[in-house]
């Protein structure tokens, strides 16, 4: 079907933010004497809420997690968010979708102020009617909560023509829990198995294929 309202994840879907996120985690973990010899280990931290990653993947206590998140954000807000680049074809995709009169929104687990700054930095904010993310004080601490928030703020009550586009299982699970269709993109940080196991309705290998899936009847 053709979708009218399209929610996009940010990291791994619109931009390749790996460098800044990795450096932010390394910076924070070093304060706790934790080394990460294999950077591939850090790929799992892109997608879930940051506090969950510190606890789940590095075993930090609740108290240390709060401190680690603060240290990470000190680095990220000044430097890390700019260690980032837009995926090839994304701006052209957004332009074409706007020409099709689609309503574009962002739903990311990244703190909303950071997401807005990144999209403004790359001059992409103009394509979106709403940019929704997590709160800096722990609000909306799951992709499901972020999606619900974005739908509410955008005044969308009928989800029949709404789709969530993302690259990780959290995006697909969030879509299922909010009764949305979903499309997993394969150029980001998740693979087809992760996305399909999490309930992805369709997969797109690149932005051209994604456009076709979003506008076809």
């Amino acid at each position: 079907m053709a979708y009218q309202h399209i929610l996009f994840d940010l990291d791994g879907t619109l931009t390749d933010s790996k460098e800044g996120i990795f450096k932010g985690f390394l910076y924070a973990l070093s304060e706790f004497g934790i080394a990460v010899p294999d950077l591939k280990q850090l790929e799992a931290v892109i997608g879930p809420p940051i506090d969950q990653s510190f606890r789940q993947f590095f075993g930090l206590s609740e108290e240390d997690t709060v401190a680690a998140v603060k240290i990470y954000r000190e680095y990220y807000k000044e430097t890390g968010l700019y260690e980032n680049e837009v995926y090839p074809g994304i701006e052209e995709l957004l332009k074409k979708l706007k020409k099709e009169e689609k309503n574009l929104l962002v739903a990311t687990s990244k703190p909303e102020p950071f997401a807005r700054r990144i999209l403004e930095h790359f001059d992409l904010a103009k394509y979106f009617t709403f940019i929704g993310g997590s709160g800096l004080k722990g609000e909306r601490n799951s992709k499901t909560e972020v999606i619900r928030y974005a739908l509410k703020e955008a005044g969308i009550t009928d989800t029949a023509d709404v789709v969530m586009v993302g690259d990780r299982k959290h995006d697909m699970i969030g879509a299922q829990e909010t009764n949305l269709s979903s499309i997993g993109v394969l150029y980001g940080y998740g693979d087809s198995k992760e996305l399909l196991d999490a309930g992805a309705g369709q997969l797109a290998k690149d932005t051209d294929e994604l456009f076709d899936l979003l506008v076809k009847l």
Side-chain angles (χ1 to χ4, degrees):
M1 65 169 293
Y3 302 103
Q4 180 57 35
H5 307 286
I6 304 168
L7 279 66
F8 284 92
D9 175 46
L10 178 54
D11 298 325
T13 301
L14 296 175
T15 70
D16 183 356
S17 52
K18 181 187 296 184
E19 181 182 356
I21 292 174
F22 280 15
K23 288 183 177 179
F25 264 87
L26 293 172
Y27 178 73
L29 291 169
S30 69
E31 295 295 310
F32 297 89
I34 299 174
V36 184
D38 183 3
L39 291 183
K40 192 170 182 62
Q41 181 184 356
L42 287 175
E43 292 182 358
V45 308
I46 303 178
I50 183 174
D51 60 334
Q52 292 181 21
S53 293
F54 278 120
R55 289 194 303 268
Q56 179 180 351
F57 302 119
F58 302 101
L60 296 190
S61 66
E62 290 294 332
E63 181 180 359
D64 285 348
T65 293
V66 171
V69 169
K70 183 177 180 181
I71 294 167
Y72 171 92
R73 286 177 176 167
E74 287 173 355
Y75 175 87
Y76 195 80
K77 70 181 180 182
E78 299 298 335
T79 304
L81 64 84
Y82 300 115
E83 295 171 326
N84 199 346
E85 60 184 30
V86 180
Y87 281 114
I90 286 296
E91 184 160 17
E92 183 60 27
L93 169 69
L94 299 177
K95 286 180 181 178
K96 291 194 298 183
L97 290 173
K98 293 302 286 187
K99 286 182 180 178
E100 295 284 336
E101 300 184 343
K102 303 301 182 182
N103 181 31
L104 310 183
L105 307 91
V106 171
T108 174
S109 292
K110 186 182 294 297
E112 191 170 306
F114 294 174
R116 189 171 297 278
R117 283 175 62 188
I118 290 167
L119 292 168
E120 289 173 349
H121 173 71
F122 289 118
D123 197 28
L124 297 180
K126 63 190 178 185
Y127 296 107
F128 299 98
T129 58
F130 184 74
I131 297 170
S134 62
L136 290 170
K137 296 181 180 179
E139 312 96 307
R140 302 182 294 278
N141 199 24
S142 73
K143 180 51 70 82
T144 299
E145 291 174 349
V146 172
I147 292 173
R148 286 180 178 145
Y149 163 69
L151 294 174
K152 180 179 178 181
E153 292 298 313
I156 300 171
T157 55
D158 183 355
T159 59
D161 60 353
V162 186
V163 63
M164 178 73 214
V165 178
D167 70 307
R168 299 302 306 269
K169 63 182 181 181
H170 313 86
D171 304 306
M172 306 301 106
I173 293 169
Q176 282 195 323
E177 293 182 344
T178 52
N179 197 34
L180 304 187
S181 299
S182 60
I183 299 175
V185 298
L186 297 176
Y187 55 79
Y189 306 128
D191 58 24
S192 58
K193 183 179 188 309
E194 174 184 337
L195 293 164
L196 291 172
D197 285 352
Q202 300 178 93
L203 298 176
K205 69 178 184 296
D206 55 32
T207 55
D208 288 337
E209 193 165 281
L210 178 56
F211 177 78
D212 290 340
L213 291 176
L214 290 170
V215 302
K216 71 180 182 180
L217 296 177

PDB file of all heavy atoms in Angstrom, residues 22-57:
ATOM      1  N   PHE A  22      30.438   5.770  18.890  1.00  0.00           N
ATOM      2  CA  PHE A  22      31.531   4.936  19.388  1.00  0.00           C
ATOM      3  C   PHE A  22      32.479   5.753  20.265  1.00  0.00           C
ATOM      4  O   PHE A  22      32.860   5.321  21.357  1.00  0.00           O
ATOM      5  CB  PHE A  22      32.317   4.335  18.223  1.00  0.00           C
ATOM      6  CG  PHE A  22      31.675   3.120  17.601  1.00  0.00           C
ATOM      7  CD1 PHE A  22      30.350   2.787  17.852  1.00  0.00           C
ATOM      8  CD2 PHE A  22      32.396   2.305  16.748  1.00  0.00           C
ATOM      9  CE1 PHE A  22      29.759   1.680  17.278  1.00  0.00           C
ATOM     10  CE2 PHE A  22      31.826   1.180  16.168  1.00  0.00           C
ATOM     11  CZ  PHE A  22      30.509   0.871  16.429  1.00  0.00           C
ATOM     12  N   LYS A  23      32.880   6.914  19.780  1.00  0.00           N
ATOM     13  CA  LYS A  23      33.827   7.737  20.539  1.00  0.00           C
ATOM     14  C   LYS A  23      33.219   8.198  21.856  1.00  0.00           C
ATOM     15  O   LYS A  23      33.912   8.288  22.873  1.00  0.00           O
ATOM     16  CB  LYS A  23      34.280   8.928  19.701  1.00  0.00           C
ATOM     17  CG  LYS A  23      35.227   8.542  18.572  1.00  0.00           C
ATOM     18  CD  LYS A  23      35.714   9.765  17.806  1.00  0.00           C
ATOM     19  CE  LYS A  23      36.722   9.385  16.736  1.00  0.00           C
ATOM     20  NZ  LYS A  23      37.187  10.565  15.956  1.00  0.00           N
ATOM     21  N   GLY A  24      31.922   8.479  21.849  1.00  0.00           N
ATOM     22  CA  GLY A  24      31.255   8.878  23.074  1.00  0.00           C
ATOM     23  C   GLY A  24      31.242   7.754  24.098  1.00  0.00           C
ATOM     24  O   GLY A  24      31.490   7.978  25.291  1.00  0.00           O
ATOM     25  N   PHE A  25      30.971   6.533  23.643  1.00  0.00           N
ATOM     26  CA  PHE A  25      30.977   5.383  24.553  1.00  0.00           C
ATOM     27  C   PHE A  25      32.375   5.115  25.080  1.00  0.00           C
ATOM     28  O   PHE A  25      32.575   4.864  26.279  1.00  0.00           O
ATOM     29  CB  PHE A  25      30.420   4.141  23.849  1.00  0.00           C
ATOM     30  CG  PHE A  25      28.966   3.914  24.110  1.00  0.00           C
ATOM     31  CD1 PHE A  25      28.002   4.523  23.317  1.00  0.00           C
ATOM     32  CD2 PHE A  25      28.545   3.114  25.154  1.00  0.00           C
ATOM     33  CE1 PHE A  25      26.651   4.334  23.557  1.00  0.00           C
ATOM     34  CE2 PHE A  25      27.194   2.908  25.410  1.00  0.00           C
ATOM     35  CZ  PHE A  25      26.238   3.520  24.606  1.00  0.00           C
ATOM     36  N   LEU A  26      33.380   5.169  24.205  1.00  0.00           N
ATOM     37  CA  LEU A  26      34.750   4.929  24.637  1.00  0.00           C
ATOM     38  C   LEU A  26      35.190   5.963  25.666  1.00  0.00           C
ATOM     39  O   LEU A  26      35.864   5.632  26.657  1.00  0.00           O
ATOM     40  CB  LEU A  26      35.691   4.944  23.431  1.00  0.00           C
ATOM     41  CG  LEU A  26      35.520   3.794  22.431  1.00  0.00           C
ATOM     42  CD1 LEU A  26      36.366   4.037  21.187  1.00  0.00           C
ATOM     43  CD2 LEU A  26      35.880   2.464  23.064  1.00  0.00           C
ATOM     44  N   TYR A  27      34.787   7.196  25.438  1.00  0.00           N
ATOM     45  CA  TYR A  27      35.122   8.286  26.355  1.00  0.00           C
ATOM     46  C   TYR A  27      34.496   8.039  27.726  1.00  0.00           C
ATOM     47  O   TYR A  27      35.159   8.168  28.773  1.00  0.00           O
ATOM     48  CB  TYR A  27      34.622   9.608  25.770  1.00  0.00           C
ATOM     49  CG  TYR A  27      34.849  10.825  26.622  1.00  0.00           C
ATOM     50  CD1 TYR A  27      36.123  11.369  26.772  1.00  0.00           C
ATOM     51  CD2 TYR A  27      33.786  11.452  27.258  1.00  0.00           C
ATOM     52  CE1 TYR A  27      36.326  12.506  27.543  1.00  0.00           C
ATOM     53  CE2 TYR A  27      33.973  12.588  28.031  1.00  0.00           C
ATOM     54  CZ  TYR A  27      35.239  13.107  28.172  1.00  0.00           C
ATOM     55  OH  TYR A  27      35.442  14.227  28.936  1.00  0.00           O
ATOM     56  N   ALA A  28      33.224   7.650  27.735  1.00  0.00           N
ATOM     57  CA  ALA A  28      32.530   7.411  29.007  1.00  0.00           C
ATOM     58  C   ALA A  28      33.065   6.165  29.704  1.00  0.00           C
ATOM     59  O   ALA A  28      33.316   6.172  30.916  1.00  0.00           O
ATOM     60  CB  ALA A  28      31.027   7.279  28.766  1.00  0.00           C
ATOM     61  N   LEU A  29      33.252   5.084  28.955  1.00  0.00           N
ATOM     62  CA  LEU A  29      33.709   3.835  29.561  1.00  0.00           C
ATOM     63  C   LEU A  29      35.111   3.949  30.142  1.00  0.00           C
ATOM     64  O   LEU A  29      35.436   3.298  31.137  1.00  0.00           O
ATOM     65  CB  LEU A  29      33.662   2.711  28.531  1.00  0.00           C
ATOM     66  CG  LEU A  29      32.252   2.271  28.099  1.00  0.00           C
ATOM     67  CD1 LEU A  29      32.322   1.356  26.878  1.00  0.00           C
ATOM     68  CD2 LEU A  29      31.524   1.575  29.240  1.00  0.00           C
ATOM     69  N   SER A  30      35.935   4.799  29.521  1.00  0.00           N
ATOM     70  CA  SER A  30      37.299   4.970  30.034  1.00  0.00           C
ATOM     71  C   SER A  30      37.294   5.536  31.445  1.00  0.00           C
ATOM     72  O   SER A  30      38.212   5.272  32.231  1.00  0.00           O
ATOM     73  CB  SER A  30      38.101   5.887  29.109  1.00  0.00           C
ATOM     74  OG  SER A  30      37.622   7.227  29.158  1.00  0.00           O
ATOM     75  N   GLU A  31      36.261   6.288  31.797  1.00  0.00           N
ATOM     76  CA  GLU A  31      36.148   6.844  33.141  1.00  0.00           C
ATOM     77  C   GLU A  31      35.900   5.758  34.183  1.00  0.00           C
ATOM     78  O   GLU A  31      36.100   5.981  35.386  1.00  0.00           O
ATOM     79  CB  GLU A  31      35.014   7.872  33.186  1.00  0.00           C
ATOM     80  CG  GLU A  31      35.255   9.106  32.330  1.00  0.00           C
ATOM     81  CD  GLU A  31      36.431   9.931  32.834  1.00  0.00           C
ATOM     82  OE1 GLU A  31      36.462  10.235  34.043  1.00  0.00           O
ATOM     83  OE2 GLU A  31      37.318  10.253  32.010  1.00  0.00           O
ATOM     84  N   PHE A  32      35.469   4.583  33.731  1.00  0.00           N
ATOM     85  CA  PHE A  32      35.215   3.461  34.639  1.00  0.00           C
ATOM     86  C   PHE A  32      36.258   2.357  34.468  1.00  0.00           C
ATOM     87  O   PHE A  32      36.078   1.241  34.949  1.00  0.00           O
ATOM     88  CB  PHE A  32      33.807   2.898  34.393  1.00  0.00           C
ATOM     89  CG  PHE A  32      32.717   3.895  34.690  1.00  0.00           C
ATOM     90  CD1 PHE A  32      32.265   4.761  33.700  1.00  0.00           C
ATOM     91  CD2 PHE A  32      32.179   4.002  35.961  1.00  0.00           C
ATOM     92  CE1 PHE A  32      31.272   5.699  33.973  1.00  0.00           C
ATOM     93  CE2 PHE A  32      31.193   4.930  36.251  1.00  0.00           C
ATOM     94  CZ  PHE A  32      30.744   5.783  35.254  1.00  0.00           C
ATOM     95  N   GLY A  33      37.327   2.675  33.748  1.00  0.00           N
ATOM     96  CA  GLY A  33      38.403   1.713  33.543  1.00  0.00           C
ATOM     97  C   GLY A  33      38.033   0.561  32.632  1.00  0.00           C
ATOM     98  O   GLY A  33      38.638  -0.511  32.697  1.00  0.00           O
ATOM     99  N   ILE A  34      37.048   0.772  31.768  1.00  0.00           N
ATOM    100  CA  ILE A  34      36.597  -0.282  30.855  1.00  0.00           C
ATOM    101  C   ILE A  34      37.162  -0.024  29.465  1.00  0.00           C
ATOM    102  O   ILE A  34      36.916   1.035  28.863  1.00  0.00           O
ATOM    103  CB  ILE A  34      35.062  -0.344  30.792  1.00  0.00           C
ATOM    104  CG1 ILE A  34      34.484  -0.668  32.175  1.00  0.00           C
ATOM    105  CG2 ILE A  34      34.609  -1.383  29.766  1.00  0.00           C
ATOM    106  CD1 ILE A  34      32.971  -0.613  32.227  1.00  0.00           C
ATOM    107  N   ALA A  35      37.927  -0.989  28.962  1.00  0.00           N
ATOM    108  CA  ALA A  35      38.474  -0.890  27.615  1.00  0.00           C
ATOM    109  C   ALA A  35      37.643  -1.741  26.667  1.00  0.00           C
ATOM    110  O   ALA A  35      37.051  -2.744  27.066  1.00  0.00           O
ATOM    111  CB  ALA A  35      39.924  -1.360  27.602  1.00  0.00           C
ATOM    112  N   VAL A  36      37.590  -1.319  25.413  1.00  0.00           N
ATOM    113  CA  VAL A  36      36.852  -2.074  24.387  1.00  0.00           C
ATOM    114  C   VAL A  36      37.836  -2.381  23.259  1.00  0.00           C
ATOM    115  O   VAL A  36      37.986  -1.595  22.318  1.00  0.00           O
ATOM    116  CB  VAL A  36      35.650  -1.263  23.860  1.00  0.00           C
ATOM    117  CG1 VAL A  36      34.846  -2.106  22.876  1.00  0.00           C
ATOM    118  CG2 VAL A  36      34.765  -0.787  25.001  1.00  0.00           C
ATOM    119  N   PRO A  37      38.544  -3.506  23.347  1.00  0.00           N
ATOM    120  CA  PRO A  37      39.570  -3.824  22.343  1.00  0.00           C
ATOM    121  C   PRO A  37      39.009  -4.084  20.951  1.00  0.00           C
ATOM    122  O   PRO A  37      39.676  -3.842  19.954  1.00  0.00           O
ATOM    123  CB  PRO A  37      40.242  -5.077  22.913  1.00  0.00           C
ATOM    124  CG  PRO A  37      39.241  -5.663  23.853  1.00  0.00           C
ATOM    125  CD  PRO A  37      38.482  -4.515  24.421  1.00  0.00           C
ATOM    126  N   ASP A  38      37.780  -4.582  20.879  1.00  0.00           N
ATOM    127  CA  ASP A  38      37.155  -4.875  19.587  1.00  0.00           C
ATOM    128  C   ASP A  38      35.985  -3.918  19.386  1.00  0.00           C
ATOM    129  O   ASP A  38      34.936  -4.056  20.016  1.00  0.00           O
ATOM    130  CB  ASP A  38      36.670  -6.318  19.550  1.00  0.00           C
ATOM    131  CG  ASP A  38      36.059  -6.713  18.203  1.00  0.00           C
ATOM    132  OD1 ASP A  38      36.066  -5.855  17.286  1.00  0.00           O
ATOM    133  OD2 ASP A  38      35.573  -7.845  18.086  1.00  0.00           O
ATOM    134  N   LEU A  39      36.157  -2.948  18.496  1.00  0.00           N
ATOM    135  CA  LEU A  39      35.122  -1.931  18.290  1.00  0.00           C
ATOM    136  C   LEU A  39      33.833  -2.534  17.741  1.00  0.00           C
ATOM    137  O   LEU A  39      32.773  -1.924  17.851  1.00  0.00           O
ATOM    138  CB  LEU A  39      35.627  -0.838  17.348  1.00  0.00           C
ATOM    139  CG  LEU A  39      36.733   0.063  17.910  1.00  0.00           C
ATOM    140  CD1 LEU A  39      37.079   1.153  16.906  1.00  0.00           C
ATOM    141  CD2 LEU A  39      36.312   0.683  19.241  1.00  0.00           C
ATOM    142  N   LYS A  40      33.910  -3.730  17.157  1.00  0.00           N
ATOM    143  CA  LYS A  40      32.695  -4.375  16.645  1.00  0.00           C
ATOM    144  C   LYS A  40      31.710  -4.612  17.786  1.00  0.00           C
ATOM    145  O   LYS A  40      30.490  -4.644  17.567  1.00  0.00           O
ATOM    146  CB  LYS A  40      33.051  -5.687  15.949  1.00  0.00           C
ATOM    147  CG  LYS A  40      31.903  -6.282  15.150  1.00  0.00           C
ATOM    148  CD  LYS A  40      32.382  -7.433  14.297  1.00  0.00           C
ATOM    149  CE  LYS A  40      31.243  -8.001  13.461  1.00  0.00           C
ATOM    150  NZ  LYS A  40      30.694  -7.024  12.510  1.00  0.00           N
ATOM    151  N   GLN A  41      32.216  -4.756  18.996  1.00  0.00           N
ATOM    152  CA  GLN A  41      31.370  -4.948  20.169  1.00  0.00           C
ATOM    153  C   GLN A  41      30.429  -3.766  20.376  1.00  0.00           C
ATOM    154  O   GLN A  41      29.336  -3.909  20.932  1.00  0.00           O
ATOM    155  CB  GLN A  41      32.239  -5.141  21.415  1.00  0.00           C
ATOM    156  CG  GLN A  41      31.459  -5.379  22.707  1.00  0.00           C
ATOM    157  CD  GLN A  41      32.370  -5.475  23.922  1.00  0.00           C
ATOM    158  OE1 GLN A  41      33.601  -5.441  23.807  1.00  0.00           O
ATOM    159  NE2 GLN A  41      31.778  -5.586  25.091  1.00  0.00           N
ATOM    160  N   LEU A  42      30.857  -2.594  19.904  1.00  0.00           N
ATOM    161  CA  LEU A  42      30.059  -1.392  20.116  1.00  0.00           C
ATOM    162  C   LEU A  42      28.892  -1.262  19.150  1.00  0.00           C
ATOM    163  O   LEU A  42      28.022  -0.418  19.352  1.00  0.00           O
ATOM    164  CB  LEU A  42      30.951  -0.144  20.010  1.00  0.00           C
ATOM    165  CG  LEU A  42      31.907   0.101  21.181  1.00  0.00           C
ATOM    166  CD1 LEU A  42      32.804   1.294  20.879  1.00  0.00           C
ATOM    167  CD2 LEU A  42      31.135   0.335  22.475  1.00  0.00           C
ATOM    168  N   GLU A  43      28.860  -2.086  18.104  1.00  0.00           N
ATOM    169  CA  GLU A  43      27.775  -1.963  17.131  1.00  0.00           C
ATOM    170  C   GLU A  43      26.408  -2.193  17.783  1.00  0.00           C
ATOM    171  O   GLU A  43      25.406  -1.627  17.353  1.00  0.00           O
ATOM    172  CB  GLU A  43      27.992  -2.924  15.968  1.00  0.00           C
ATOM    173  CG  GLU A  43      29.187  -2.541  15.103  1.00  0.00           C
ATOM    174  CD  GLU A  43      29.382  -3.457  13.916  1.00  0.00           C
ATOM    175  OE1 GLU A  43      28.602  -4.428  13.773  1.00  0.00           O
ATOM    176  OE2 GLU A  43      30.320  -3.202  13.138  1.00  0.00           O
ATOM    177  N   ALA A  44      26.389  -2.999  18.836  1.00  0.00           N
ATOM    178  CA  ALA A  44      25.121  -3.306  19.498  1.00  0.00           C
ATOM    179  C   ALA A  44      24.532  -2.111  20.225  1.00  0.00           C
ATOM    180  O   ALA A  44      23.337  -2.089  20.527  1.00  0.00           O
ATOM    181  CB  ALA A  44      25.313  -4.459  20.486  1.00  0.00           C
ATOM    182  N   VAL A  45      25.353  -1.080  20.509  1.00  0.00           N
ATOM    183  CA  VAL A  45      24.842   0.058  21.286  1.00  0.00           C
ATOM    184  C   VAL A  45      24.055   1.029  20.420  1.00  0.00           C
ATOM    185  O   VAL A  45      23.392   1.926  20.944  1.00  0.00           O
ATOM    186  CB  VAL A  45      25.977   0.814  22.015  1.00  0.00           C
ATOM    187  CG1 VAL A  45      26.836  -0.135  22.817  1.00  0.00           C
ATOM    188  CG2 VAL A  45      26.817   1.650  21.049  1.00  0.00           C
ATOM    189  N   ILE A  46      24.121   0.876  19.101  1.00  0.00           N
ATOM    190  CA  ILE A  46      23.411   1.797  18.215  1.00  0.00           C
ATOM    191  C   ILE A  46      21.991   1.276  18.009  1.00  0.00           C
ATOM    192  O   ILE A  46      21.778   0.235  17.407  1.00  0.00           O
ATOM    193  CB  ILE A  46      24.130   1.941  16.864  1.00  0.00           C
ATOM    194  CG1 ILE A  46      25.568   2.404  17.076  1.00  0.00           C
ATOM    195  CG2 ILE A  46      23.385   2.929  15.975  1.00  0.00           C
ATOM    196  CD1 ILE A  46      26.373   2.520  15.799  1.00  0.00           C
ATOM    197  N   GLY A  47      21.045   2.008  18.525  1.00  0.00           N
ATOM    198  CA  GLY A  47      19.644   1.605  18.413  1.00  0.00           C
ATOM    199  C   GLY A  47      18.911   1.679  19.728  1.00  0.00           C
ATOM    200  O   GLY A  47      17.959   2.441  19.871  1.00  0.00           O
ATOM    201  N   PRO A  48      19.344   0.905  20.732  1.00  0.00           N
ATOM    202  CA  PRO A  48      18.624   0.948  22.009  1.00  0.00           C
ATOM    203  C   PRO A  48      18.914   2.224  22.781  1.00  0.00           C
ATOM    204  O   PRO A  48      19.900   2.913  22.497  1.00  0.00           O
ATOM    205  CB  PRO A  48      19.166  -0.280  22.753  1.00  0.00           C
ATOM    206  CG  PRO A  48      20.468  -0.586  22.128  1.00  0.00           C
ATOM    207  CD  PRO A  48      20.383  -0.137  20.705  1.00  0.00           C
ATOM    208  N   PRO A  49      18.076   2.559  23.763  1.00  0.00           N
ATOM    209  CA  PRO A  49      18.364   3.709  24.630  1.00  0.00           C
ATOM    210  C   PRO A  49      19.743   3.548  25.264  1.00  0.00           C
ATOM    211  O   PRO A  49      20.153   2.454  25.640  1.00  0.00           O
ATOM    212  CB  PRO A  49      17.250   3.646  25.676  1.00  0.00           C
ATOM    213  CG  PRO A  49      16.123   2.967  24.965  1.00  0.00           C
ATOM    214  CD  PRO A  49      16.784   1.941  24.080  1.00  0.00           C
ATOM    215  N   ILE A  50      20.449   4.650  25.411  1.00  0.00           N
ATOM    216  CA  ILE A  50      21.846   4.626  25.842  1.00  0.00           C
ATOM    217  C   ILE A  50      22.033   4.016  27.220  1.00  0.00           C
ATOM    218  O   ILE A  50      22.980   3.276  27.466  1.00  0.00           O
ATOM    219  CB  ILE A  50      22.435   6.057  25.770  1.00  0.00           C
ATOM    220  CG1 ILE A  50      23.906   6.038  26.156  1.00  0.00           C
ATOM    221  CG2 ILE A  50      21.667   7.008  26.628  1.00  0.00           C
ATOM    222  CD1 ILE A  50      24.571   7.384  25.970  1.00  0.00           C
ATOM    223  N   ASP A  51      21.114   4.285  28.145  1.00  0.00           N
ATOM    224  CA  ASP A  51      21.281   3.736  29.495  1.00  0.00           C
ATOM    225  C   ASP A  51      21.162   2.214  29.482  1.00  0.00           C
ATOM    226  O   ASP A  51      21.888   1.518  30.208  1.00  0.00           O
ATOM    227  CB  ASP A  51      20.286   4.369  30.470  1.00  0.00           C
ATOM    228  CG  ASP A  51      18.839   4.146  30.072  1.00  0.00           C
ATOM    229  OD1 ASP A  51      18.565   3.955  28.881  1.00  0.00           O
ATOM    230  OD2 ASP A  51      17.971   4.173  30.969  1.00  0.00           O
ATOM    231  N   GLN A  52      20.277   1.693  28.643  1.00  0.00           N
ATOM    232  CA  GLN A  52      20.159   0.242  28.525  1.00  0.00           C
ATOM    233  C   GLN A  52      21.454  -0.373  28.024  1.00  0.00           C
ATOM    234  O   GLN A  52      21.870  -1.445  28.468  1.00  0.00           O
ATOM    235  CB  GLN A  52      19.010  -0.122  27.594  1.00  0.00           C
ATOM    236  CG  GLN A  52      17.631   0.216  28.130  1.00  0.00           C
ATOM    237  CD  GLN A  52      16.527  -0.185  27.164  1.00  0.00           C
ATOM    238  OE1 GLN A  52      16.722  -1.035  26.299  1.00  0.00           O
ATOM    239  NE2 GLN A  52      15.370   0.441  27.307  1.00  0.00           N
ATOM    240  N   SER A  53      22.116   0.294  27.088  1.00  0.00           N
ATOM    241  CA  SER A  53      23.371  -0.225  26.537  1.00  0.00           C
ATOM    242  C   SER A  53      24.465  -0.275  27.588  1.00  0.00           C
ATOM    243  O   SER A  53      25.215  -1.262  27.675  1.00  0.00           O
ATOM    244  CB  SER A  53      23.820   0.632  25.349  1.00  0.00           C
ATOM    245  OG  SER A  53      22.925   0.488  24.260  1.00  0.00           O
ATOM    246  N   PHE A  54      24.588   0.767  28.381  1.00  0.00           N
ATOM    247  CA  PHE A  54      25.614   0.764  29.429  1.00  0.00           C
ATOM    248  C   PHE A  54      25.375  -0.368  30.428  1.00  0.00           C
ATOM    249  O   PHE A  54      26.312  -1.026  30.867  1.00  0.00           O
ATOM    250  CB  PHE A  54      25.646   2.103  30.158  1.00  0.00           C
ATOM    251  CG  PHE A  54      26.431   3.169  29.441  1.00  0.00           C
ATOM    252  CD1 PHE A  54      25.822   4.352  29.032  1.00  0.00           C
ATOM    253  CD2 PHE A  54      27.787   3.004  29.196  1.00  0.00           C
ATOM    254  CE1 PHE A  54      26.550   5.335  28.385  1.00  0.00           C
ATOM    255  CE2 PHE A  54      28.529   3.985  28.534  1.00  0.00           C
ATOM    256  CZ  PHE A  54      27.900   5.153  28.125  1.00  0.00           C
ATOM    257  N   ARG A  55      24.116  -0.623  30.776  1.00  0.00           N
ATOM    258  CA  ARG A  55      23.816  -1.681  31.741  1.00  0.00           C
ATOM    259  C   ARG A  55      23.961  -3.064  31.111  1.00  0.00           C
ATOM    260  O   ARG A  55      24.604  -3.951  31.670  1.00  0.00           O
ATOM    261  CB  ARG A  55      22.384  -1.512  32.285  1.00  0.00           C
ATOM    262  CG  ARG A  55      22.192  -0.332  33.217  1.00  0.00           C
ATOM    263  CD  ARG A  55      20.873  -0.448  33.971  1.00  0.00           C
ATOM    264  NE  ARG A  55      19.728  -0.558  33.074  1.00  0.00           N
ATOM    265  CZ  ARG A  55      19.023   0.478  32.630  1.00  0.00           C
ATOM    266  NH1 ARG A  55      19.349   1.707  33.000  1.00  0.00           N
ATOM    267  NH2 ARG A  55      18.001   0.313  31.818  1.00  0.00           N
ATOM    268  N   GLN A  56      23.333  -3.247  29.946  1.00  0.00           N
ATOM    269  CA  GLN A  56      23.267  -4.577  29.342  1.00  0.00           C
ATOM    270  C   GLN A  56      24.604  -5.058  28.799  1.00  0.00           C
ATOM    271  O   GLN A  56      24.989  -6.218  28.993  1.00  0.00           O
ATOM    272  CB  GLN A  56      22.231  -4.580  28.221  1.00  0.00           C
ATOM    273  CG  GLN A  56      22.099  -5.924  27.500  1.00  0.00           C
ATOM    274  CD  GLN A  56      21.059  -5.886  26.387  1.00  0.00           C
ATOM    275  OE1 GLN A  56      20.308  -4.919  26.244  1.00  0.00           O
ATOM    276  NE2 GLN A  56      21.020  -6.934  25.581  1.00  0.00           N
ATOM    277  N   PHE A  57      25.324  -4.196  28.110  1.00  0.00           N
ATOM    278  CA  PHE A  57      26.533  -4.629  27.420  1.00  0.00           C
ATOM    279  C   PHE A  57      27.812  -4.441  28.231  1.00  0.00           C
ATOM    280  O   PHE A  57      28.827  -5.076  27.949  1.00  0.00           O
ATOM    281  CB  PHE A  57      26.656  -3.909  26.079  1.00  0.00           C
ATOM    282  CG  PHE A  57      25.476  -4.121  25.170  1.00  0.00           C
ATOM    283  CD1 PHE A  57      24.711  -3.050  24.745  1.00  0.00           C
ATOM    284  CD2 PHE A  57      25.116  -5.397  24.763  1.00  0.00           C
ATOM    285  CE1 PHE A  57      23.607  -3.247  23.915  1.00  0.00           C
ATOM    286  CE2 PHE A  57      24.020  -5.608  23.940  1.00  0.00           C
ATOM    287  CZ  PHE A  57      23.265  -4.526  23.511  1.00  0.00           C
TER     288      PHE A  57
END
